[in-house]
Amino acid sequence: MRRSREATAQSRERIVSEAAQLFRERGIEGASVADVMNAAGMTHGGFYRHFPDKDALVAAAVDRAVDDVIGQIDQQAATEGLGAAISAYVSMYLSDDHVKSPRYGCPIAALASEARRAPETTRAAVTNGLASVVERIGKALPCEPEDQRPAALAMMAMLVGTVVLARSTADKALRDELLQAARAQAIG
Amino acid sequence: MRRSREATAQSRERIVSEAAQLFRERGIEGASVADVMNAAGMTHGGFYRHFPDKDALVAAAVDRAVDDVIGQIDQQAATEGLGAAISAYVSMYLSDDHVKSPRYGCPIAALASEARRAPETTRAAVTNGLASVVERIGKALPCEPEDQRPAALAMMAMLVGTVVLARSTADKALRDELLQAARAQAIG
DNA sequence: TGTACATCAGTGAACGCGCGTTCACTGATGTAC
DNA sequence: TGTACATCAGTGAACGCGCGTTCACTGATGTAC
């Protein structure tokens, strides 16, 4: 049954949105096309009316996840200033909730090691997201302008590394220690 | 054809050794049992004479990779002291070679995001490796004893994060910037 | 030490399964007049 | 505005493929006497 243009656009929107969450939660290989379509309320066959293949969905989903994160930062920066927005971002990043729920969290921390073997479109989306966040962190750092970028890169590496390590270890105490150590370094 | 005890032990050794390399290079899901067995010079059927299933091989391979890394540090520490060993480790970690060749590099950076969804045995092997490296880094850091552990955790997070990010981005210039920023922060 | 037999490491075909993808089909939507 | 037809979003069965795993088989090794 053919759908209206609006309904078609909404379907695509649901597919991308669910994919952005499922890929972060289960990994790219861990979430199948059928999984995503079911989450979007459809069967798998219709997928190819929206995307040429799974790789195209992956790229769109990573783009979406990146846009969401950057959008949140920029929105808060517009009302409360960039410094407050970055502070909030770092606090969120190093929170228990973020470690526990990759679904709505940083796509880079969730997908980074799969991205290494992903097609160019996906790698480009990750690179773009990384560059955008680093740029905003840099501007918010209280140091000499020429030191902002390296400091922002090192900060981002520590954020990503902390969350990746906290998620990979089974030891709750070690997880807490990691988060606290990173907070001390990043905030205090 | 039955093999001698010695030949059997050598076969198992080759399987674990090749698995430790292939899993780091291609990921756990990216290297099949048949791939590992071929690399070890055998066909896939014989695998189950050595391991009950692939999960057991993954755990053994991660253990092996971790032991190799820790062994290198400890060996250098025995002759040149822990400080020199950790310095060399950090330099190696933040080198272009390490980013380019996960095959012989840090198993945590290579497998961390897959480890999150891996069985308990694999997670335990990763946790054990992380704890071992952090302990050694802590002892080598020139700060108050009570600050050594958090500083070591934050340092390890930055090392892992830098390499994970450098590997996931397609942008060579950004990769170089990441490594240089991390070196400046870690080494001084 | 030598012999007869049991063991088992490794082979290669076969299995079931889930995956990405294709396809014939349906029927509501969009378009042409 | 109404009608006739073409389009195409979504369904569900089917496909080929690679995976982890199983299994009958082979023949050298290990063991019992």
mmCIF file with all atom_site columns, all heavy atoms in Angstrom, chain C residues 8-17:
data_model
loop_
_atom_site.group_PDB
_atom_site.id
_atom_site.type_symbol
_atom_site.label_atom_id
_atom_site.label_alt_id
_atom_site.label_comp_id
_atom_site.label_asym_id
_atom_site.label_entity_id
_atom_site.label_seq_id
_atom_site.pdbx_PDB_ins_code
_atom_site.Cartn_x
_atom_site.Cartn_y
_atom_site.Cartn_z
_atom_site.occupancy
_atom_site.B_iso_or_equiv
_atom_site.pdbx_formal_charge
_atom_site.auth_seq_id
_atom_site.auth_comp_id
_atom_site.auth_asym_id
_atom_site.auth_atom_id
_atom_site.pdbx_PDB_model_num
ATOM 1   P P     . DC C 1 8  ? 42.048 -39.948 24.530 1.00 0.00 ? 8  DC C P     1
ATOM 2   O OP1   . DC C 1 8  ? 42.650 -39.524 25.815 1.00 0.00 ? 8  DC C OP1   1
ATOM 3   O OP2   . DC C 1 8  ? 40.597 -40.116 24.381 1.00 0.00 ? 8  DC C OP2   1
ATOM 4   O "O5'" . DC C 1 8  ? 42.521 -38.939 23.404 1.00 0.00 ? 8  DC C "O5'" 1
ATOM 5   C "C5'" . DC C 1 8  ? 43.856 -38.986 22.889 1.00 0.00 ? 8  DC C "C5'" 1
ATOM 6   C "C4'" . DC C 1 8  ? 43.878 -38.373 21.506 1.00 0.00 ? 8  DC C "C4'" 1
ATOM 7   O "O4'" . DC C 1 8  ? 43.608 -39.398 20.527 1.00 0.00 ? 8  DC C "O4'" 1
ATOM 8   C "C3'" . DC C 1 8  ? 42.795 -37.297 21.276 1.00 0.00 ? 8  DC C "C3'" 1
ATOM 9   O "O3'" . DC C 1 8  ? 43.345 -36.280 20.466 1.00 0.00 ? 8  DC C "O3'" 1
ATOM 10  C "C2'" . DC C 1 8  ? 41.745 -38.043 20.490 1.00 0.00 ? 8  DC C "C2'" 1
ATOM 11  C "C1'" . DC C 1 8  ? 42.674 -38.881 19.609 1.00 0.00 ? 8  DC C "C1'" 1
ATOM 12  N N1    . DC C 1 8  ? 42.015 -39.981 18.872 1.00 0.00 ? 8  DC C N1    1
ATOM 13  C C2    . DC C 1 8  ? 42.681 -40.536 17.762 1.00 0.00 ? 8  DC C C2    1
ATOM 14  O O2    . DC C 1 8  ? 43.785 -40.083 17.458 1.00 0.00 ? 8  DC C O2    1
ATOM 15  N N3    . DC C 1 8  ? 42.092 -41.526 17.065 1.00 0.00 ? 8  DC C N3    1
ATOM 16  C C4    . DC C 1 8  ? 40.896 -41.984 17.437 1.00 0.00 ? 8  DC C C4    1
ATOM 17  N N4    . DC C 1 8  ? 40.359 -42.967 16.718 1.00 0.00 ? 8  DC C N4    1
ATOM 18  C C5    . DC C 1 8  ? 40.196 -41.440 18.560 1.00 0.00 ? 8  DC C C5    1
ATOM 19  C C6    . DC C 1 8  ? 40.794 -40.443 19.241 1.00 0.00 ? 8  DC C C6    1
ATOM 20  P P     . DA C 1 9  ? 43.766 -34.870 21.146 1.00 0.00 ? 9  DA C P     1
ATOM 21  O OP1   . DA C 1 9  ? 44.667 -35.098 22.290 1.00 0.00 ? 9  DA C OP1   1
ATOM 22  O OP2   . DA C 1 9  ? 42.491 -34.159 21.320 1.00 0.00 ? 9  DA C OP2   1
ATOM 23  O "O5'" . DA C 1 9  ? 44.583 -34.165 19.990 1.00 0.00 ? 9  DA C "O5'" 1
ATOM 24  C "C5'" . DA C 1 9  ? 45.905 -34.606 19.680 1.00 0.00 ? 9  DA C "C5'" 1
ATOM 25  C "C4'" . DA C 1 9  ? 46.222 -34.271 18.238 1.00 0.00 ? 9  DA C "C4'" 1
ATOM 26  O "O4'" . DA C 1 9  ? 45.589 -35.247 17.367 1.00 0.00 ? 9  DA C "O4'" 1
ATOM 27  C "C3'" . DA C 1 9  ? 45.725 -32.910 17.751 1.00 0.00 ? 9  DA C "C3'" 1
ATOM 28  O "O3'" . DA C 1 9  ? 46.666 -32.413 16.806 1.00 0.00 ? 9  DA C "O3'" 1
ATOM 29  C "C2'" . DA C 1 9  ? 44.395 -33.229 17.093 1.00 0.00 ? 9  DA C "C2'" 1
ATOM 30  C "C1'" . DA C 1 9  ? 44.618 -34.627 16.531 1.00 0.00 ? 9  DA C "C1'" 1
ATOM 31  N N9    . DA C 1 9  ? 43.443 -35.499 16.565 1.00 0.00 ? 9  DA C N9    1
ATOM 32  C C8    . DA C 1 9  ? 42.478 -35.562 17.531 1.00 0.00 ? 9  DA C C8    1
ATOM 33  N N7    . DA C 1 9  ? 41.553 -36.468 17.291 1.00 0.00 ? 9  DA C N7    1
ATOM 34  C C5    . DA C 1 9  ? 41.943 -37.032 16.083 1.00 0.00 ? 9  DA C C5    1
ATOM 35  C C6    . DA C 1 9  ? 41.383 -38.052 15.291 1.00 0.00 ? 9  DA C C6    1
ATOM 36  N N6    . DA C 1 9  ? 40.268 -38.709 15.604 1.00 0.00 ? 9  DA C N6    1
ATOM 37  N N1    . DA C 1 9  ? 42.024 -38.376 14.142 1.00 0.00 ? 9  DA C N1    1
ATOM 38  C C2    . DA C 1 9  ? 43.156 -37.715 13.835 1.00 0.00 ? 9  DA C C2    1
ATOM 39  N N3    . DA C 1 9  ? 43.776 -36.740 14.496 1.00 0.00 ? 9  DA C N3    1
ATOM 40  C C4    . DA C 1 9  ? 43.111 -36.448 15.622 1.00 0.00 ? 9  DA C C4    1
ATOM 41  P P     . DG C 1 10 ? 46.445 -30.998 16.124 1.00 0.00 ? 10 DG C P     1
ATOM 42  O OP1   . DG C 1 10 ? 47.785 -30.456 15.824 1.00 0.00 ? 10 DG C OP1   1
ATOM 43  O OP2   . DG C 1 10 ? 45.481 -30.228 16.922 1.00 0.00 ? 10 DG C OP2   1
ATOM 44  O "O5'" . DG C 1 10 ? 45.747 -31.378 14.745 1.00 0.00 ? 10 DG C "O5'" 1
ATOM 45  C "C5'" . DG C 1 10 ? 46.522 -32.033 13.744 1.00 0.00 ? 10 DG C "C5'" 1
ATOM 46  C "C4'" . DG C 1 10 ? 45.614 -32.443 12.612 1.00 0.00 ? 10 DG C "C4'" 1
ATOM 47  O "O4'" . DG C 1 10 ? 44.630 -33.370 13.117 1.00 0.00 ? 10 DG C "O4'" 1
ATOM 48  C "C3'" . DG C 1 10 ? 44.819 -31.304 11.967 1.00 0.00 ? 10 DG C "C3'" 1
ATOM 49  O "O3'" . DG C 1 10 ? 45.177 -31.222 10.594 1.00 0.00 ? 10 DG C "O3'" 1
ATOM 50  C "C2'" . DG C 1 10 ? 43.363 -31.686 12.171 1.00 0.00 ? 10 DG C "C2'" 1
ATOM 51  C "C1'" . DG C 1 10 ? 43.455 -33.199 12.368 1.00 0.00 ? 10 DG C "C1'" 1
ATOM 52  N N9    . DG C 1 10 ? 42.335 -33.749 13.111 1.00 0.00 ? 10 DG C N9    1
ATOM 53  C C8    . DG C 1 10 ? 41.872 -33.374 14.352 1.00 0.00 ? 10 DG C C8    1
ATOM 54  N N7    . DG C 1 10 ? 40.827 -34.062 14.742 1.00 0.00 ? 10 DG C N7    1
ATOM 55  C C5    . DG C 1 10 ? 40.583 -34.937 13.691 1.00 0.00 ? 10 DG C C5    1
ATOM 56  C C6    . DG C 1 10 ? 39.564 -35.930 13.542 1.00 0.00 ? 10 DG C C6    1
ATOM 57  O O6    . DG C 1 10 ? 38.665 -36.230 14.336 1.00 0.00 ? 10 DG C O6    1
ATOM 58  N N1    . DG C 1 10 ? 39.678 -36.590 12.326 1.00 0.00 ? 10 DG C N1    1
ATOM 59  C C2    . DG C 1 10 ? 40.640 -36.329 11.379 1.00 0.00 ? 10 DG C C2    1
ATOM 60  N N2    . DG C 1 10 ? 40.595 -37.058 10.275 1.00 0.00 ? 10 DG C N2    1
ATOM 61  N N3    . DG C 1 10 ? 41.596 -35.410 11.508 1.00 0.00 ? 10 DG C N3    1
ATOM 62  C C4    . DG C 1 10 ? 41.497 -34.755 12.686 1.00 0.00 ? 10 DG C C4    1
ATOM 63  P P     . DT C 1 11 ? 44.377 -30.275 9.553  1.00 0.00 ? 11 DT C P     1
ATOM 64  O OP1   . DT C 1 11 ? 45.371 -29.841 8.567  1.00 0.00 ? 11 DT C OP1   1
ATOM 65  O OP2   . DT C 1 11 ? 43.566 -29.297 10.295 1.00 0.00 ? 11 DT C OP2   1
ATOM 66  O "O5'" . DT C 1 11 ? 43.392 -31.311 8.849  1.00 0.00 ? 11 DT C "O5'" 1
ATOM 67  C "C5'" . DT C 1 11 ? 43.922 -32.446 8.170  1.00 0.00 ? 11 DT C "C5'" 1
ATOM 68  C "C4'" . DT C 1 11 ? 42.830 -33.113 7.344  1.00 0.00 ? 11 DT C "C4'" 1
ATOM 69  O "O4'" . DT C 1 11 ? 41.862 -33.729 8.239  1.00 0.00 ? 11 DT C "O4'" 1
ATOM 70  C "C3'" . DT C 1 11 ? 42.037 -32.164 6.442  1.00 0.00 ? 11 DT C "C3'" 1
ATOM 71  O "O3'" . DT C 1 11 ? 42.024 -32.705 5.134  1.00 0.00 ? 11 DT C "O3'" 1
ATOM 72  C "C2'" . DT C 1 11 ? 40.650 -32.115 7.064  1.00 0.00 ? 11 DT C "C2'" 1
ATOM 73  C "C1'" . DT C 1 11 ? 40.557 -33.455 7.791  1.00 0.00 ? 11 DT C "C1'" 1
ATOM 74  N N1    . DT C 1 11 ? 39.714 -33.465 9.018  1.00 0.00 ? 11 DT C N1    1
ATOM 75  C C2    . DT C 1 11 ? 38.702 -34.392 9.130  1.00 0.00 ? 11 DT C C2    1
ATOM 76  O O2    . DT C 1 11 ? 38.433 -35.196 8.251  1.00 0.00 ? 11 DT C O2    1
ATOM 77  N N3    . DT C 1 11 ? 38.002 -34.346 10.310 1.00 0.00 ? 11 DT C N3    1
ATOM 78  C C4    . DT C 1 11 ? 38.211 -33.486 11.374 1.00 0.00 ? 11 DT C C4    1
ATOM 79  O O4    . DT C 1 11 ? 37.521 -33.548 12.381 1.00 0.00 ? 11 DT C O4    1
ATOM 80  C C5    . DT C 1 11 ? 39.284 -32.533 11.191 1.00 0.00 ? 11 DT C C5    1
ATOM 81  C C7    . DT C 1 11 ? 39.601 -31.555 12.280 1.00 0.00 ? 11 DT C C7    1
ATOM 82  C C6    . DT C 1 11 ? 39.978 -32.568 10.039 1.00 0.00 ? 11 DT C C6    1
ATOM 83  P P     . DG C 1 12 ? 41.756 -31.724 3.857  1.00 0.00 ? 12 DG C P     1
ATOM 84  O OP1   . DG C 1 12 ? 42.455 -32.338 2.703  1.00 0.00 ? 12 DG C OP1   1
ATOM 85  O OP2   . DG C 1 12 ? 42.033 -30.329 4.239  1.00 0.00 ? 12 DG C OP2   1
ATOM 86  O "O5'" . DG C 1 12 ? 40.190 -31.881 3.632  1.00 0.00 ? 12 DG C "O5'" 1
ATOM 87  C "C5'" . DG C 1 12 ? 39.659 -33.189 3.412  1.00 0.00 ? 12 DG C "C5'" 1
ATOM 88  C "C4'" . DG C 1 12 ? 38.156 -33.153 3.495  1.00 0.00 ? 12 DG C "C4'" 1
ATOM 89  O "O4'" . DG C 1 12 ? 37.737 -33.110 4.882  1.00 0.00 ? 12 DG C "O4'" 1
ATOM 90  C "C3'" . DG C 1 12 ? 37.493 -31.932 2.844  1.00 0.00 ? 12 DG C "C3'" 1
ATOM 91  O "O3'" . DG C 1 12 ? 36.256 -32.361 2.291  1.00 0.00 ? 12 DG C "O3'" 1
ATOM 92  C "C2'" . DG C 1 12 ? 37.251 -31.005 4.023  1.00 0.00 ? 12 DG C "C2'" 1
ATOM 93  C "C1'" . DG C 1 12 ? 36.813 -32.049 5.044  1.00 0.00 ? 12 DG C "C1'" 1
ATOM 94  N N9    . DG C 1 12 ? 36.818 -31.618 6.425  1.00 0.00 ? 12 DG C N9    1
ATOM 95  C C8    . DG C 1 12 ? 37.550 -30.607 6.996  1.00 0.00 ? 12 DG C C8    1
ATOM 96  N N7    . DG C 1 12 ? 37.331 -30.468 8.275  1.00 0.00 ? 12 DG C N7    1
ATOM 97  C C5    . DG C 1 12 ? 36.397 -31.452 8.567  1.00 0.00 ? 12 DG C C5    1
ATOM 98  C C6    . DG C 1 12 ? 35.755 -31.795 9.782  1.00 0.00 ? 12 DG C C6    1
ATOM 99  O O6    . DG C 1 12 ? 35.916 -31.298 10.890 1.00 0.00 ? 12 DG C O6    1
ATOM 100 N N1    . DG C 1 12 ? 34.857 -32.856 9.636  1.00 0.00 ? 12 DG C N1    1
ATOM 101 C C2    . DG C 1 12 ? 34.611 -33.509 8.449  1.00 0.00 ? 12 DG C C2    1
ATOM 102 N N2    . DG C 1 12 ? 33.719 -34.494 8.488  1.00 0.00 ? 12 DG C N2    1
ATOM 103 N N3    . DG C 1 12 ? 35.201 -33.198 7.295  1.00 0.00 ? 12 DG C N3    1
ATOM 104 C C4    . DG C 1 12 ? 36.070 -32.164 7.426  1.00 0.00 ? 12 DG C C4    1
ATOM 105 P P     . DA C 1 13 ? 35.523 -31.600 1.094  1.00 0.00 ? 13 DA C P     1
ATOM 106 O OP1   . DA C 1 13 ? 36.118 -32.048 -0.187 1.00 0.00 ? 13 DA C OP1   1
ATOM 107 O OP2   . DA C 1 13 ? 35.460 -30.157 1.410  1.00 0.00 ? 13 DA C OP2   1
ATOM 108 O "O5'" . DA C 1 13 ? 34.063 -32.217 1.215  1.00 0.00 ? 13 DA C "O5'" 1
ATOM 109 C "C5'" . DA C 1 13 ? 33.907 -33.600 1.544  1.00 0.00 ? 13 DA C "C5'" 1
ATOM 110 C "C4'" . DA C 1 13 ? 32.668 -33.797 2.391  1.00 0.00 ? 13 DA C "C4'" 1
ATOM 111 O "O4'" . DA C 1 13 ? 32.940 -33.379 3.752  1.00 0.00 ? 13 DA C "O4'" 1
ATOM 112 C "C3'" . DA C 1 13 ? 31.442 -32.994 1.933  1.00 0.00 ? 13 DA C "C3'" 1
ATOM 113 O "O3'" . DA C 1 13 ? 30.307 -33.825 1.984  1.00 0.00 ? 13 DA C "O3'" 1
ATOM 114 C "C2'" . DA C 1 13 ? 31.371 -31.851 2.939  1.00 0.00 ? 13 DA C "C2'" 1
ATOM 115 C "C1'" . DA C 1 13 ? 31.905 -32.528 4.205  1.00 0.00 ? 13 DA C "C1'" 1
ATOM 116 N N9    . DA C 1 13 ? 32.488 -31.596 5.172  1.00 0.00 ? 13 DA C N9    1
ATOM 117 C C8    . DA C 1 13 ? 33.436 -30.634 4.933  1.00 0.00 ? 13 DA C C8    1
ATOM 118 N N7    . DA C 1 13 ? 33.774 -29.949 6.010  1.00 0.00 ? 13 DA C N7    1
ATOM 119 C C5    . DA C 1 13 ? 33.002 -30.511 7.018  1.00 0.00 ? 13 DA C C5    1
ATOM 120 C C6    . DA C 1 13 ? 32.894 -30.233 8.395  1.00 0.00 ? 13 DA C C6    1
ATOM 121 N N6    . DA C 1 13 ? 33.594 -29.289 9.014  1.00 0.00 ? 13 DA C N6    1
ATOM 122 N N1    . DA C 1 13 ? 32.027 -30.978 9.124  1.00 0.00 ? 13 DA C N1    1
ATOM 123 C C2    . DA C 1 13 ? 31.322 -31.931 8.499  1.00 0.00 ? 13 DA C C2    1
ATOM 124 N N3    . DA C 1 13 ? 31.333 -32.283 7.211  1.00 0.00 ? 13 DA C N3    1
ATOM 125 C C4    . DA C 1 13 ? 32.215 -31.523 6.513  1.00 0.00 ? 13 DA C C4    1
ATOM 126 P P     . DA C 1 14 ? 28.862 -33.347 1.420  1.00 0.00 ? 14 DA C P     1
ATOM 127 O OP1   . DA C 1 14 ? 28.206 -34.518 0.815  1.00 0.00 ? 14 DA C OP1   1
ATOM 128 O OP2   . DA C 1 14 ? 29.066 -32.091 0.641  1.00 0.00 ? 14 DA C OP2   1
ATOM 129 O "O5'" . DA C 1 14 ? 28.083 -32.968 2.756  1.00 0.00 ? 14 DA C "O5'" 1
ATOM 130 C "C5'" . DA C 1 14 ? 28.049 -33.907 3.832  1.00 0.00 ? 14 DA C "C5'" 1
ATOM 131 C "C4'" . DA C 1 14 ? 27.409 -33.242 5.035  1.00 0.00 ? 14 DA C "C4'" 1
ATOM 132 O "O4'" . DA C 1 14 ? 28.388 -32.378 5.661  1.00 0.00 ? 14 DA C "O4'" 1
ATOM 133 C "C3'" . DA C 1 14 ? 26.206 -32.355 4.692  1.00 0.00 ? 14 DA C "C3'" 1
ATOM 134 O "O3'" . DA C 1 14 ? 25.035 -32.912 5.251  1.00 0.00 ? 14 DA C "O3'" 1
ATOM 135 C "C2'" . DA C 1 14 ? 26.549 -30.990 5.313  1.00 0.00 ? 14 DA C "C2'" 1
ATOM 136 C "C1'" . DA C 1 14 ? 27.707 -31.289 6.237  1.00 0.00 ? 14 DA C "C1'" 1
ATOM 137 N N9    . DA C 1 14 ? 28.690 -30.203 6.362  1.00 0.00 ? 14 DA C N9    1
ATOM 138 C C8    . DA C 1 14 ? 29.434 -29.638 5.351  1.00 0.00 ? 14 DA C C8    1
ATOM 139 N N7    . DA C 1 14 ? 30.238 -28.682 5.773  1.00 0.00 ? 14 DA C N7    1
ATOM 140 C C5    . DA C 1 14 ? 30.012 -28.623 7.145  1.00 0.00 ? 14 DA C C5    1
ATOM 141 C C6    . DA C 1 14 ? 30.541 -27.827 8.159  1.00 0.00 ? 14 DA C C6    1
ATOM 142 N N6    . DA C 1 14 ? 31.472 -26.891 7.947  1.00 0.00 ? 14 DA C N6    1
ATOM 143 N N1    . DA C 1 14 ? 30.090 -28.017 9.430  1.00 0.00 ? 14 DA C N1    1
ATOM 144 C C2    . DA C 1 14 ? 29.161 -28.961 9.636  1.00 0.00 ? 14 DA C C2    1
ATOM 145 N N3    . DA C 1 14 ? 28.589 -29.780 8.757  1.00 0.00 ? 14 DA C N3    1
ATOM 146 C C4    . DA C 1 14 ? 29.055 -29.556 7.522  1.00 0.00 ? 14 DA C C4    1
ATOM 147 P P     . DC C 1 15 ? 23.589 -32.174 5.102  1.00 0.00 ? 15 DC C P     1
ATOM 148 O OP1   . DC C 1 15 ? 22.573 -33.237 5.167  1.00 0.00 ? 15 DC C OP1   1
ATOM 149 O OP2   . DC C 1 15 ? 23.632 -31.241 3.952  1.00 0.00 ? 15 DC C OP2   1
ATOM 150 O "O5'" . DC C 1 15 ? 23.491 -31.319 6.437  1.00 0.00 ? 15 DC C "O5'" 1
ATOM 151 C "C5'" . DC C 1 15 ? 23.291 -31.978 7.696  1.00 0.00 ? 15 DC C "C5'" 1
ATOM 152 C "C4'" . DC C 1 15 ? 23.175 -30.927 8.787  1.00 0.00 ? 15 DC C "C4'" 1
ATOM 153 O "O4'" . DC C 1 15 ? 24.504 -30.399 9.051  1.00 0.00 ? 15 DC C "O4'" 1
ATOM 154 C "C3'" . DC C 1 15 ? 22.376 -29.698 8.392  1.00 0.00 ? 15 DC C "C3'" 1
ATOM 155 O "O3'" . DC C 1 15 ? 20.961 -29.892 8.414  1.00 0.00 ? 15 DC C "O3'" 1
ATOM 156 C "C2'" . DC C 1 15 ? 22.896 -28.676 9.388  1.00 0.00 ? 15 DC C "C2'" 1
ATOM 157 C "C1'" . DC C 1 15 ? 24.371 -29.060 9.530  1.00 0.00 ? 15 DC C "C1'" 1
ATOM 158 N N1    . DC C 1 15 ? 25.308 -28.168 8.765  1.00 0.00 ? 15 DC C N1    1
ATOM 159 C C2    . DC C 1 15 ? 26.045 -27.236 9.489  1.00 0.00 ? 15 DC C C2    1
ATOM 160 O O2    . DC C 1 15 ? 25.887 -27.172 10.720 1.00 0.00 ? 15 DC C O2    1
ATOM 161 N N3    . DC C 1 15 ? 26.904 -26.420 8.862  1.00 0.00 ? 15 DC C N3    1
ATOM 162 C C4    . DC C 1 15 ? 27.041 -26.500 7.526  1.00 0.00 ? 15 DC C C4    1
ATOM 163 N N4    . DC C 1 15 ? 27.924 -25.673 6.944  1.00 0.00 ? 15 DC C N4    1
ATOM 164 C C5    . DC C 1 15 ? 26.296 -27.433 6.755  1.00 0.00 ? 15 DC C C5    1
ATOM 165 C C6    . DC C 1 15 ? 25.443 -28.240 7.409  1.00 0.00 ? 15 DC C C6    1
ATOM 166 P P     . DG C 1 16 ? 19.809 -29.510 9.195  1.00 0.00 ? 16 DG C P     1
ATOM 167 O OP1   . DG C 1 16 ? 19.348 -30.608 10.052 1.00 0.00 ? 16 DG C OP1   1
ATOM 168 O OP2   . DG C 1 16 ? 18.919 -28.990 8.191  1.00 0.00 ? 16 DG C OP2   1
ATOM 169 O "O5'" . DG C 1 16 ? 20.247 -28.280 10.123 1.00 0.00 ? 16 DG C "O5'" 1
ATOM 170 C "C5'" . DG C 1 16 ? 20.339 -28.437 11.548 1.00 0.00 ? 16 DG C "C5'" 1
ATOM 171 C "C4'" . DG C 1 16 ? 20.522 -27.072 12.172 1.00 0.00 ? 16 DG C "C4'" 1
ATOM 172 O "O4'" . DG C 1 16 ? 21.706 -26.434 11.595 1.00 0.00 ? 16 DG C "O4'" 1
ATOM 173 C "C3'" . DG C 1 16 ? 19.364 -26.104 11.915 1.00 0.00 ? 16 DG C "C3'" 1
ATOM 174 O "O3'" . DG C 1 16 ? 19.112 -25.381 13.121 1.00 0.00 ? 16 DG C "O3'" 1
ATOM 175 C "C2'" . DG C 1 16 ? 19.860 -25.209 10.777 1.00 0.00 ? 16 DG C "C2'" 1
ATOM 176 C "C1'" . DG C 1 16 ? 21.359 -25.175 11.051 1.00 0.00 ? 16 DG C "C1'" 1
ATOM 177 N N9    . DG C 1 16 ? 22.195 -24.966 9.863  1.00 0.00 ? 16 DG C N9    1
ATOM 178 C C8    . DG C 1 16 ? 22.010 -25.513 8.615  1.00 0.00 ? 16 DG C C8    1
ATOM 179 N N7    . DG C 1 16 ? 22.934 -25.151 7.752  1.00 0.00 ? 16 DG C N7    1
ATOM 180 C C5    . DG C 1 16 ? 23.772 -24.316 8.470  1.00 0.00 ? 16 DG C C5    1
ATOM 181 C C6    . DG C 1 16 ? 24.943 -23.622 8.061  1.00 0.00 ? 16 DG C C6    1
ATOM 182 O O6    . DG C 1 16 ? 25.490 -23.603 6.959  1.00 0.00 ? 16 DG C O6    1
ATOM 183 N N1    . DG C 1 16 ? 25.487 -22.878 9.119  1.00 0.00 ? 16 DG C N1    1
ATOM 184 C C2    . DG C 1 16 ? 24.967 -22.828 10.377 1.00 0.00 ? 16 DG C C2    1
ATOM 185 N N2    . DG C 1 16 ? 25.625 -22.063 11.248 1.00 0.00 ? 16 DG C N2    1
ATOM 186 N N3    . DG C 1 16 ? 23.871 -23.477 10.780 1.00 0.00 ? 16 DG C N3    1
ATOM 187 C C4    . DG C 1 16 ? 23.326 -24.195 9.777  1.00 0.00 ? 16 DG C C4    1
ATOM 188 P P     . DC C 1 17 ? 17.901 -24.328 13.185 1.00 0.00 ? 17 DC C P     1
ATOM 189 O OP1   . DC C 1 17 ? 17.307 -24.420 14.527 1.00 0.00 ? 17 DC C OP1   1
ATOM 190 O OP2   . DC C 1 17 ? 17.069 -24.470 11.961 1.00 0.00 ? 17 DC C OP2   1
ATOM 191 O "O5'" . DC C 1 17 ? 18.699 -22.952 13.085 1.00 0.00 ? 17 DC C "O5'" 1
ATOM 192 C "C5'" . DC C 1 17 ? 19.847 -22.754 13.915 1.00 0.00 ? 17 DC C "C5'" 1
ATOM 193 C "C4'" . DC C 1 17 ? 20.433 -21.392 13.622 1.00 0.00 ? 17 DC C "C4'" 1
ATOM 194 O "O4'" . DC C 1 17 ? 21.299 -21.497 12.465 1.00 0.00 ? 17 DC C "O4'" 1
ATOM 195 C "C3'" . DC C 1 17 ? 19.369 -20.346 13.281 1.00 0.00 ? 17 DC C "C3'" 1
ATOM 196 O "O3'" . DC C 1 17 ? 19.503 -19.225 14.128 1.00 0.00 ? 17 DC C "O3'" 1
ATOM 197 C "C2'" . DC C 1 17 ? 19.625 -19.996 11.819 1.00 0.00 ? 17 DC C "C2'" 1
ATOM 198 C "C1'" . DC C 1 17 ? 21.090 -20.388 11.623 1.00 0.00 ? 17 DC C "C1'" 1
ATOM 199 N N1    . DC C 1 17 ? 21.408 -20.797 10.230 1.00 0.00 ? 17 DC C N1    1
ATOM 200 C C2    . DC C 1 17 ? 22.551 -20.288 9.613  1.00 0.00 ? 17 DC C C2    1
ATOM 201 O O2    . DC C 1 17 ? 23.283 -19.519 10.245 1.00 0.00 ? 17 DC C O2    1
ATOM 202 N N3    . DC C 1 17 ? 22.842 -20.653 8.344  1.00 0.00 ? 17 DC C N3    1
ATOM 203 C C4    . DC C 1 17 ? 22.027 -21.493 7.696  1.00 0.00 ? 17 DC C C4    1
ATOM 204 N N4    . DC C 1 17 ? 22.353 -21.824 6.445  1.00 0.00 ? 17 DC C N4    1
ATOM 205 C C5    . DC C 1 17 ? 20.852 -22.027 8.308  1.00 0.00 ? 17 DC C C5    1
ATOM 206 C C6    . DC C 1 17 ? 20.581 -21.653 9.571  1.00 0.00 ? 17 DC C C6    1
#
